[in-house]
Amino acid sequence: MVDTSAKNPLLNQNKNFLELCFACRIGDVENADRLISTGVNVNGVDEFDNSPLFLASLCGHEDVVNLLLRRGSVCDRDRYEGARCIYGALTDSIRNILLKYDISKAVDVKQPFASHLSSLMNDDIVNNFDFQFTFDDDLQIPAHKFILAARSSYFRQKFSGPWATLKSKRMPTGSDIEAFRSILKFIYLVPVLHELKQDQLKHIHLLSMKSGFPDLLSYLDKTMHVSDPSERASLMNEYQYKFNTDARDQLEAYVNENIFNNGILLTSGEVKDRHLKTLRDLPPFGDLVLKVTTSEGQDYFYMCHKSILVRSNFFKLMFSSSFQEATSEVPIVSLSVVNLSVAEVVLSYLYYDSTDIPWEIAIDVLRTSDFILTDRLKTMAAVTITQSKEFLTKYSIFDVLDVAWSCSVERLEHHAAKVIAYDIENYINDSLLSDAIIQSSKRIKSRQDTDTVELVDDIRFYLLEKYDLQADILELLDTEDDIDFLKKSGLLEYKKDIDLLESLLIELGFDI
Amino acid sequence: MSHFLTMPSVKPIISNRRYSRKTEGLDEQWAILQNGIDKIFDGKVTELSFEKLYTTVYGLVLTKNGPQLHERLSRQLSDHFGKVRTSFDGITRAEALNLLNQVWEKQKVYLSQISDVFIYMDSVYSKRENKPDVMSLGSRLFLKEVVEHVSGTLKSSLVDEINQARESAAQYSGFDILKNAIAVLNSLELKEGMSSVFLMEFEPFLLDSTEAYYKNLHSQLIAEQDETRWKDFNTLLELLNTENKICCNIFEDQDTILKLHNIAERVLVTDNIQEIAIYNVAKIVNSDKNDVLSRLLAISSSQKDKNVIFDQLSQFIVKEITSIEIDTSAKKKSVAAVAWIQELIKLKDKYQELGSHLNSAQAAGFKCINEAFGKAFSQIKIFPEFLSLYFDNYLKSEPSAMDSNIRKCVQFFKLFKDKDAFEIIYRQQLSRRLLQQRSNVLREQELIFLLQEDVGTSYTSKLRGMLRDLHSSNTFMQKNGKLSKTRDISVNVLTNMFWPLQGSDMNRDVIVPDSFAAIRNEYENRYAKTHSGRLLEWNYHLSTVEIAYQFRNSYHELSMPMFSGIIFMLFKEHESLTFDEIVELTNLPQQEVRKNLISMSVAPKTKILQKSPPGKSISNTDMFSINQGFTAPQRKVKVLMVLMNTRPNATNDSTRSSVEKKLLDSRLSVINAAVTRIMKQDRKLYHSELQDKVALSIPLFEMSPSLFKMSLEYLLNNEYIQRDFDNTTMYHYLP
């Protein structure tokens, strides 16, 4: 084998990236979303120089194409890679989406956590700024201490040291408020590069030196020598992407160090309000106590941030309403989980889009995200369950079915049906299958002319898939008597499986 | 085959219900929620823990208690709204409407808080089971428990307030209350996908009450002292505008506004449109304000109503035109014609002004005015003659440029339907003008050009042919040089089919002087050389001669009709002649000789012949000789043909009837041609279809049904077409 990595710097043979390529081929938009959130580079290429966008475009998966573009895939038709995506597009509608994509306008494509962070600049949900920078004429710019601390070691030191007791910092007279605002936008991951003004550059340069943003500095240096608009746009894109990746790492580090490590374990008794007040001004500068109760009955207390937790609908409703929690300054909110790692997965997701869910706790993560009304995490957990090869070593497929039904996750229902279908000989004697079929029959929403049991229908569907058969070939079963043909085509085996299923149904008292 | 690891030995952990640790029953759980809901309704939401309530709902839904939860919530809300209802007791009018809005605004906030708590039920249970979510459940129960119970009060309050607004118009101050109340009613619906309660219940009621209101208003107006106010369009416009303004202030929905407006319009305008049209049309035509027609048309949005107004206007115009007086006392017809046409122009100007302020949507008004003129013209028999006479008068006056009145008259011509009748008269007058050289050829051409703008060149082909004849005759004369050394001769060759000539025997029988005969033969020879195969026929009765004669006291150049000239020339060889002798020598009919002799011997200004015995009438034995003593102030003397006063009307009538006969014949042949052409194309047609198609294809006159029937009879008899055997109203083309 030739070492291709020398040829193409974008070549990526990371396992997650290759899985992403596969998801793009088969159009599994949810898995693609999960994989992108693990931090793979969406603009990488595989050993055949295929980018995920090209694969999705070629295979005609419009929703994956849209997802990739939203997450920062570049389609520059002036370059070989971009043109290839457009010419390779399977459908006109995909081609039009790609043609409409304009690299210079695509600066705000990014990960959900970054979008959320940006939206906090004008935090209108909980409005929980805890620091202010005051400029000349008493102009003020509000900010979140924890975001500044997470993104910049400079601010981290200041908040722990000289500014520890300050609520507001007066900036030196003559400071350029606009330049400062640009820096703040950079910190909050608002795409700012394209709106930097020439006359601010000096101030921004200075401020980024001070606050310690080497990437911003390197961008400023590079962009000075680029005049071609398309190249410039590429550069911006590349850097904005890098900023987001860095921010994710910084948040991850911050959450680990300050939230998880500072969690307080109390096996009994209540937290004293006084105790919490002191926590308020220490890193992580939280404004909310998350009381995590494990199934072992232990309570852990984490200082968290309302501004971040509102990414979950549960917290959003809680803090935007007029209930007690919204009116108290540092509310204590409980979350019941199986063990601490579930809570950590949920928080990691909320803070920096981590979708790295260990399969062992995937079901618990799914239930918890259902409770806090966070659909995307729920989907991610479901994808983890379906992708994991070890999952069934610890859990029964009927656990999956149970959680699928109680939390309405269609993907898992199908997955369960598929697993059962592919191994029907084993499952058919399991009394749990009978229970599941009876339960499924009770879930019929509204009576129709011919009621069907969804689970049975799904199993039938996957039995066809199992033997690579089409529905219309089944009539051959009645007419064809060439045994060899039936054997070869898999029809015979299919018939065997179906007979198993049907005899079970008859046993259960269903009409077929 | 399967790539899944199969581990059916793993025991499921479903039974381990970690999320429903609370083992209390439904009732205890519900008690928590009930208490929460009560507190929310008490406005004490800040005392409640969202987490606790949410977790309770979550637990209940997860343990499949969704139906009971939904049920109990629904009952709880019903109970609450039942209490809310009591706040409406004894409250009416604006207060009730205001209260509705206030109460609902408050309940909406409560409902939204409850909805937050029940979000897990909404998004999991209600969605799956197709149940209403908390917000819509709440608004439905509010509708059922509050609004429906007080809807009587609300309806009557609404109507009372709106009626008060109608009466006090600008002074009314409660618009916001009404608007808000309507908005509340519009936001409530009984079932998903159903129309709002406002549309279902309140709007029909409002429509009825509006109709009653305007009916009442209408009868009040009629009972007023000023008998005309109820039908005056200014009053009506004002009322309708007020209604519109009020509606726009109250309702958001354009549909409702339109419905209410239409009711007002129907009661006030449409139901009485006939009388309103009669009254107002008479009023506006003489108004000095110029937007009156536009305003009158604005009182109704229905085309039917507008058509009634147009109809009235049209009738009025026709009446005005037909009542323009014709001056029968004028000596000359042309004077009467000019006076009449000038009146007509004034009338047209007036209506032009009236129509000029219509907006683009009312353009039909303009068309109506024009059509009314056309209709009136068709009713006035003398119109084509008068119009033609007006043109005649204008051209004879040798104008230097086209004046605006002529352009207006051309407009009249365009509006006039029976264009072929006009053409016949115009052609006669044109031929007279041309032969007598009474007009400027350029102006003639100009006018003909204007006339053909609308009807096309074929219509004026004969007129243009006449002008062309004169032109080519002139050119021929110039090319061939003089016919005689001593005499000036000018000959016009007139193509028979262009000119309205009636050949006469006298032209063939008359004995012309030899000197003239020679010239005539010379011309005929020359003409035959260049135009072979043409037959020239001399129309002496259209010709004039000029004879120079030395009277005793003065020398004169006498210009006279050809026949007079022939008679005068007789005296070159005879001293005196009797009437009979003249008849014999000229071979002219007695009538013609007498006509000429009267103008030469009786007319006072041109008495170039002496008659004995003198007298006004001429008998067969009278003697004539040259009046040597004749003298006149100018050297040039024109002997005019004296019109015989005997039976002048009779001749007029006979010419007119002959014109009409001719017209009828030509129309018949035009219709015949049209019918044949259309039948040939379509093969078979019903009577009415055929009639419509034929009428459309004839631009020059309006086809009367009788004429059409005549044409069909002719064509049936001559087997151009055939009636269908089964269906008598259908015709077939016979090839």
Side-chain angles (χ1 to χ4, degrees):
Chain A
M1 278 287 273
V2 188
D3 181 13
T4 42
S5 62
K7 276 186 190 168
N8 193 336
L10 290 170
L11 179 69
N12 192 338
Q13 286 186 318
N14 167 310
K15 185 175 141 285
N16 278 347
F17 180 78
L18 295 180
E19 268 186 50
L20 173 65
C21 288
F22 184 70
C24 291
R25 283 172 204 260
I26 63 168
D28 186 344
V29 62
E30 285 149 355
N31 199 21
D33 189 9
R34 180 185 70 96
L35 291 161
I36 294 167
S37 287
T38 61
V40 299
N41 182 0
V42 288
N43 286 312
V45 294
D46 69 4
E47 55 179 320
F48 306 107
D49 273 357
N50 295 325
S51 69
L53 185 64
F54 170 72
L55 291 169
S57 163
L58 184 73
C59 301
H61 301 302
E62 191 173 324
D63 34 7
V64 180
V65 169
N66 278 324
L67 174 80
L68 289 167
L69 290 177
R70 274 206 309 278
R71 294 284 189 269
S73 275
V74 172
C75 176
D76 183 355
R77 79 196 77 146
D78 295 335
R79 280 161 204 262
Y80 167 71
E81 292 81 9
R84 193 168 165 226
C85 291
I86 292 169
Y87 290 122
L90 184 72
T91 66
D92 281 354
S93 125
I94 291 180
R95 199 193 47 176
N96 290 338
I97 290 170
L98 293 172
L99 283 173
K100 237 182 2 200
Y101 170 85
D102 180 349
I103 186 167
S104 60
K105 283 182 190 147
V107 282
D108 58 348
V109 289
K110 54 193 170 188
Q111 303 271 312
F113 87 96
S115 303
H116 181 74
L117 214 57
S118 300
S119 75
L120 291 179
M121 274 285 284
N122 351 295
D123 186 352
D124 46 2
I125 304 174
V126 286
N127 193 15
N128 235 3
F129 295 108
D130 50 7
F131 202 78
Q132 278 180 337
F133 295 93
T134 312
F135 288 80
D136 300 348
D137 300 332
D138 282 337
L139 291 171
Q140 290 180 326
I141 299 184
H144 299 84
K145 270 169 140 178
F146 81 93
I147 295 176
L148 298 186
R151 295 275 283 130
S152 146
S153 53
Y154 170 79
F155 286 115
R156 196 149 58 235
Q157 281 161 14
K158 287 286 184 193
F159 286 138
S160 314
W163 300 353
T165 52
L166 294 183
K167 288 262 173 239
S168 168
K169 165 75 183 150
R170 181 162 281 281
M171 300 300 276
T173 325
S175 300
D176 185 339
I177 186 167
E178 285 313 315
F180 187 80
R181 210 188 292 277
S182 295
I183 287 287
L184 216 56
K185 278 185 181 173
F186 164 80
I187 292 173
Y188 278 84
L189 294 177
V190 179
V192 75
L193 300 181
H194 63 284
E195 56 179 47
L196 292 183
K197 298 208 183 58
Q198 206 61 41
D199 55 336
Q200 290 176 3
L201 289 182
K202 219 180 81 194
H203 294 277
I204 293 173
H205 209 270
L206 226 87
L207 281 167
S208 20
M209 291 253 276
K210 203 167 159 191
S211 329
F213 296 125
D215 286 333
L216 188 54
L217 281 176
S218 111
Y219 169 78
L220 291 174
D221 288 342
K222 268 196 191 165
T223 193
M224 287 214 271
H225 310 295
V226 177
S227 56
D228 174 50
S230 165
E231 216 175 300
R232 219 186 161 92
S234 272
L235 196 66
M236 280 184 201
N237 223 289
E238 191 186 306
Y239 268 90
Q240 193 68 49
Y241 185 80
K242 193 166 165 34
F243 296 161
N244 285 358
T245 320
D246 289 352
R248 180 210 295 278
D249 295 344
Q250 287 162 347
L251 278 165
E252 181 174 1
Y254 189 78
V255 168
N256 278 328
E257 272 169 40
N258 296 299
I259 299 183
F260 295 159
N261 283 350
N262 287 351
I264 301 166
L265 168 65
L266 291 176
T267 31
S268 63
E270 283 292 305
V271 186
K272 297 277 184 303
D273 263 9
R274 197 160 31 84
H275 189 189
L276 290 175
K277 283 261 163 55
T278 53
L279 281 178
R280 180 88 176 84
D281 291 324
L282 292 170
F285 312 112
D287 53 9
L288 156 78
V289 176
L290 190 66
K291 175 179 162 197
V292 177
T293 309
T294 63
S295 52
E296 284 93 37
Q298 285 178 318
D299 289 345
Y300 292 85
F301 292 85
Y302 292 120
M303 283 307 285
C304 295
H305 304 94
K306 288 182 193 167
S307 328
I308 294 293
L309 261 48
V310 293
R311 283 189 73 197
S312 122
N313 252 338
F314 168 69
F315 291 107
K316 190 170 166 183
L317 285 171
M318 180 184 284
F319 297 128
S320 58
S321 69
S322 344
F323 287 92
Q324 199 185 51
E325 290 91 340
T327 42
S328 77
E329 200 185 343
V330 184
I332 304 173
V333 182
S334 328
L335 191 66
S336 299
V337 291
V338 177
N339 57 44
L340 217 47
S341 45
V342 173
E344 287 182 0
V345 165
V346 170
L347 287 173
S348 308
Y349 170 79
L350 293 178
Y351 275 88
Y352 55 92
D353 267 1
S354 161
T355 51
D356 190 10
I357 306 166
W359 62 266
E360 293 90 340
I361 56 166
I363 283 193
D364 302 299
V365 170
L366 196 151
R367 284 193 186 275
T368 306
S369 52
D370 182 53
F371 174 77
I372 63 167
L373 304 171
T374 308
D375 281 348
R376 188 159 171 266
L377 182 59
K378 199 164 125 185
T379 311
M380 298 297 130
V383 173
T384 305
I385 293 171
T386 58
Q387 294 295 314
S388 161
K389 293 198 172 63
E390 301 98 324
F391 188 81
L392 289 175
T393 56
K394 184 174 169 202
Y395 293 95
S396 152
I397 196 65
F398 299 105
D399 287 326
V400 176
L401 207 50
D402 179 61
V403 76
W405 282 337
S406 70
C407 299
S408 320
V409 190
E410 214 172 320
R411 189 188 174 98
L412 288 184
E413 284 181 46
H414 294 161
H415 176 70
K418 187 173 178 176
V419 170
I420 294 168
Y422 274 62
D423 196 17
I424 193 150
E425 284 154 34
N426 274 320
Y427 283 111
I428 202 73
N429 296 320
D430 195 333
S431 68
L432 287 166
L433 178 61
S434 313
D435 290 351
I437 290 174
I438 290 168
Q439 219 183 337
S440 175
S441 72
K442 286 180 184 153
R443 289 171 55 84
I444 295 167
K445 286 171 198 166
S446 51
R447 300 219 145 254
Q448 286 161 355
D449 288 349
T450 49
D451 289 335
T452 57
V453 180
E454 220 172 320
L455 178 61
V456 176
D457 275 358
D458 288 346
I459 294 175
R460 282 181 205 271
F461 173 84
Y462 286 109
L463 280 176
L464 280 175
E465 194 193 84
K466 178 177 171 187
Y467 297 108
D468 202 10
L469 297 171
Q470 303 289 323
D472 52 5
I473 206 172
L474 292 185
E475 40 194 69
L476 284 181
L477 269 178
D478 301 331
T479 53
E480 187 63 57
D481 14 313
D482 182 349
I483 299 291
D484 275 351
F485 168 78
L486 288 176
K487 242 185 206 160
K488 239 198 235 159
S489 62
L491 270 171
L492 218 55
E493 287 177 73
Y494 169 80
K495 181 84 168 87
K496 223 171 77 195
D497 287 356
I498 276 287
D499 285 346
L500 282 177
L501 182 63
E502 286 182 353
S503 60
L504 175 63
L505 289 175
I506 291 169
E507 206 178 295
L508 292 174
F510 290 99
D511 297 337
I512 310 167
Chain B
M1 187 154 278
S2 163
H3 69 267
F4 290 97
L5 287 171
T6 52
M7 291 278 173
S9 57
V10 173
K11 281 290 151 225
I13 36 184
I14 303 171
S15 50
N16 184 4
R17 293 218 173 275
R18 283 155 296 180
Y19 296 94
S20 50
R21 279 177 299 131
K22 294 178 182 125
T23 45
E24 307 98 284
L26 172 65
D27 289 331
E28 286 88 358
Q29 305 265 344
W30 171 249
I32 298 171
L33 291 172
Q34 195 175 25
N35 173 46
I37 293 169
D38 282 344
K39 282 218 164 125
I40 287 175
F41 281 135
D42 279 351
K44 293 179 185 158
V45 65
T46 50
E47 294 173 13
L48 293 167
S49 159
F50 177 80
E51 184 201 323
K52 187 174 173 195
L53 296 173
Y54 176 90
T55 313
T56 312
V57 172
Y58 175 81
L60 284 172
V61 173
L62 215 60
T63 50
K64 301 200 170 66
N65 280 313
Q68 291 87 338
L69 187 61
H70 200 273
E71 229 292 303
R72 290 188 184 201
L73 173 67
S74 167
R75 220 181 311 139
Q76 175 87 1
L77 292 178
S78 291
D79 289 352
H80 167 71
F81 290 135
K83 279 176 237 153
V84 169
R85 184 167 70 218
T86 54
S87 58
F88 280 88
D89 291 348
I91 294 178
T92 55
R93 302 274 314 241
E95 279 172 66
L97 299 171
N98 199 14
L99 187 66
L100 173 71
N101 183 39
Q102 284 173 356
V103 166
W104 176 237
E105 285 303 320
K106 219 195 265 168
Q107 302 305 319
K108 252 195 331 203
V109 173
Y110 297 155
L111 283 175
S112 128
Q113 286 162 352
I114 297 172
S115 170
D116 284 351
V117 169
F118 280 80
I119 180 81
Y120 197 82
M121 180 187 85
D122 276 352
S123 60
V124 175
Y125 168 76
S126 306
K127 204 163 136 200
R128 193 171 58 207
E129 301 294 321
N130 249 335
K131 299 267 185 178
D133 59 25
V134 174
M135 247 359 234
S136 26
L137 178 71
S139 62
R140 274 170 221 176
L141 290 172
F142 181 77
L143 178 59
K144 212 168 123 204
E145 296 297 329
V146 182
V147 178
E148 301 229 311
H149 285 271
V150 294
S151 73
T153 316
L154 291 174
K155 278 179 197 165
S156 61
S157 303
L158 207 55
V159 168
D160 286 350
E161 289 297 315
I162 291 177
N163 285 348
Q164 198 190 326
R166 282 174 181 142
E167 270 152 36
S168 47
Q171 281 87 45
Y172 186 75
S173 59
F175 284 128
D176 282 346
I177 292 175
L178 291 181
K179 195 169 191 164
N180 289 335
I182 303 269
V184 171
L185 293 172
N186 243 328
S187 68
L188 298 174
E189 54 186 40
L190 261 181
K191 258 194 190 153
E192 174 104 30
M194 237 161 83
S195 298
S196 71
V197 65
F198 175 77
L199 285 177
M200 297 288 284
E201 276 192 49
F202 284 74
E203 198 191 73
F205 185 79
L206 263 180
L207 296 182
D208 288 347
S209 75
T210 303
E211 179 156 356
Y213 175 82
Y214 279 104
K215 279 201 167 134
N216 184 32
L217 182 72
H218 181 67
S219 39
Q220 272 178 24
L221 282 171
I222 286 186
E224 264 181 37
Q225 249 186 347
D226 181 356
E227 290 173 349
T228 59
R229 211 166 96 82
W230 68 272
K231 49 187 179 182
D232 184 82
F233 72 97
N234 282 320
T235 317
L236 294 170
L237 260 187
E238 202 179 311
L239 285 170
L240 291 174
N241 279 342
T242 312
E243 175 69 25
N244 230 13
K245 241 184 258 162
I246 288 170
C247 288
C248 287
N249 274 331
I250 299 173
F251 303 103
E252 295 278 352
D253 187 357
Q254 287 301 320
D255 244 28
T256 308
I257 297 175
L258 195 68
K259 277 184 202 161
L260 289 171
H261 180 88
N262 282 347
I263 285 181
E265 190 178 282
R266 176 164 55 77
V267 174
L268 294 177
V269 179
T270 309
D271 287 352
N272 315 294
I273 186 67
Q274 198 69 32
E275 282 171 274
I276 289 172
I278 293 172
Y279 171 76
N280 286 303
V281 165
K283 200 173 150 189
I284 61 162
V285 287
N286 291 315
S287 159
D288 52 352
K289 292 204 186 96
N290 39 32
D291 61 341
V292 280
L293 181 57
S294 174
R295 281 163 60 82
L296 174 59
L297 288 174
I299 62 172
S300 178
S301 52
S302 112
Q303 194 53 43
K304 254 190 187 161
D305 291 356
K306 282 179 186 166
N307 286 343
V308 174
I309 294 172
F310 287 148
D311 221 42
Q312 271 309 313
L313 185 65
S314 168
Q315 281 180 30
F316 199 87
I317 292 173
V318 171
K319 213 169 82 198
E320 262 203 291
I321 295 172
T322 47
S323 59
I324 299 176
E325 270 185 35
I326 297 171
D327 184 4
T328 44
S329 63
K331 275 193 201 133
K332 280 168 104 181
K333 215 175 201 172
S334 65
V335 176
V338 168
W340 191 85
I341 292 284
Q342 273 165 354
E343 280 303 306
L344 187 65
I345 288 173
K346 268 189 222 157
L347 216 57
K348 180 77 211 265
D349 286 348
K350 184 173 102 182
Y351 284 105
Q352 194 84 16
E353 179 69 18
L354 197 65
S356 63
H357 289 268
L358 294 174
N359 59 41
S360 58
Q362 301 166 326
F366 210 75
K367 206 173 136 212
C368 156
I369 291 173
N370 279 337
E371 275 174 2
F373 270 80
K375 211 160 130 198
F377 295 159
S378 302
Q379 286 179 19
I380 300 166
K381 274 229 155 97
I382 204 154
F383 176 77
E385 196 180 344
F386 270 19
L387 186 61
S388 180
L389 271 172
Y390 188 85
F391 286 133
D392 189 53
N393 193 59
Y394 154 78
L395 290 162
K396 277 182 187 164
S397 69
E398 307 210 351
S400 55
M402 190 73 60
D403 69 9
S404 64
N405 279 354
I406 290 302
R407 290 190 187 276
K408 280 169 195 162
C409 286
V410 172
Q411 290 296 317
F412 292 156
F413 165 75
K414 285 175 180 170
L415 297 175
F416 182 53
K417 296 228 170 66
D418 297 338
K419 295 193 168 59
D420 52 348
F422 174 80
E423 194 247 11
I424 289 171
I425 298 167
Y426 189 82
R427 196 143 56 95
Q428 277 175 351
Q429 288 174 347
L430 175 64
S431 88
R432 216 171 296 151
R433 281 199 300 276
L434 292 179
L435 293 178
Q436 296 174 5
Q437 300 183 354
R438 294 284 298 274
S439 60
N440 182 335
V441 176
L442 270 179
R443 290 278 161 270
E444 294 281 5
Q445 275 174 342
E446 206 172 64
L447 187 58
I448 289 173
F449 185 73
L450 281 179
L451 291 180
Q452 78 187 22
E453 261 177 11
D454 239 27
V455 280
T457 47
S458 66
Y459 177 74
T460 53
S461 64
K462 284 181 180 173
L463 305 178
R464 281 179 293 118
M466 288 160 77
L467 291 173
R468 206 165 46 238
D469 273 353
L470 290 190
H471 181 71
S472 51
S473 304
N474 270 339
T475 345
F476 182 76
M477 291 291 294
Q478 276 164 18
K479 254 192 216 156
N480 287 282
K482 283 198 163 181
L483 283 168
S484 153
K485 281 171 189 149
T486 50
R487 291 176 176 88
D488 277 338
I489 304 282
S490 132
V491 180
N492 286 327
V493 181
L494 312 179
T495 310
N496 201 12
M497 54 173 297
F498 295 158
W499 296 73
L501 301 177
Q502 289 141 316
S504 165
D505 286 344
M506 6 184 228
N507 289 329
R508 220 174 303 126
D509 300 338
V510 69
I511 297 168
V512 296
D514 291 345
S515 57
F516 182 76
I519 295 166
R520 189 186 70 184
N521 291 339
E522 170 67 17
Y523 186 85
E524 279 179 349
N525 285 339
R526 286 191 190 176
Y527 193 79
K529 270 182 207 157
T530 42
H531 306 82
S532 63
R534 291 200 188 174
L535 185 68
L536 288 177
E537 194 180 304
W538 295 82
N539 278 298
Y540 300 122
H541 69 286
L542 297 172
S543 316
T544 52
V545 291
E546 209 169 82
I547 297 167
Y549 190 78
Q550 175 68 52
F551 291 96
R552 193 186 311 128
N553 299 327
S554 51
Y555 171 81
H556 287 289
E557 285 164 11
L558 307 166
S559 161
M560 62 187 92
M562 186 72 178
F563 291 140
S564 302
I566 290 170
I567 294 169
F568 192 74
M569 292 292 273
L570 291 176
F571 295 99
K572 208 174 170 183
E573 285 160 26
H574 306 273
E575 191 61 31
S576 61
L577 291 164
T578 64
F579 179 82
D580 283 337
E581 282 169 331
I582 292 174
V583 169
E584 198 178 318
L585 283 166
T586 58
N587 203 14
L588 281 168
Q590 287 192 8
Q591 177 73 24
E592 188 64 30
V593 174
R594 182 170 285 123
K595 210 166 81 185
N596 284 291
L597 284 174
I598 282 178
S599 53
M600 287 193 287
S601 62
V602 180
K605 278 184 188 158
T606 53
K607 222 173 184 171
I608 50 173
L609 291 186
Q610 185 118 43
K611 178 173 101 87
S612 68
K616 292 242 164 177
S617 65
I618 290 173
S619 68
N620 289 14
T621 51
D622 285 354
M623 285 290 283
F624 294 93
S625 59
I626 290 182
N627 177 12
Q628 296 294 350
F630 175 79
T631 183
Q634 279 98 27
R635 198 164 74 176
K636 288 202 179 218
V637 174
K638 199 164 188 183
V639 180
L640 292 172
M641 194 59 74
V642 170
L643 281 176
M644 305 284 272
N645 277 340
T646 50
R647 304 177 291 138
N649 287 333
T651 51
N652 249 2
D653 280 359
S654 75
T655 53
R656 190 178 296 159
S657 73
S658 84
V659 164
E660 265 168 27
K661 175 87 176 65
K662 238 169 148 184
L663 203 57
L664 211 63
D665 287 347
S666 77
R667 284 183 177 183
L668 203 55
S669 58
V670 168
I671 296 174
N672 286 344
V675 171
T676 320
R677 202 168 47 240
I678 289 164
M679 288 305 292
K680 189 171 181 180
Q681 200 177 4
D682 291 6
R683 293 283 145 175
K684 60 176 182 185
L685 280 174
Y686 287 104
H687 183 90
S688 54
E689 276 181 302
L690 181 59
Q691 188 166 1
D692 290 347
K693 285 197 172 190
V694 172
L696 265 180
S697 71
I698 301 172
L700 294 183
F701 58 91
E702 216 166 7
M703 181 178 71
S704 66
S706 63
L707 209 57
F708 182 59
K709 254 179 216 153
M710 273 166 71
S711 162
L712 285 183
E713 262 163 40
Y714 171 82
L715 292 171
L716 285 167
N717 288 337
N718 288 287
E719 299 192 331
Y720 284 96
I721 55 172
Q722 189 181 46
R723 251 188 237 282
D724 193 279
F725 290 112
D726 304 322
N727 189 344
T728 50
T729 58
M730 191 196 274
Y731 302 101
H732 291 273
Y733 177 73
L734 289 177

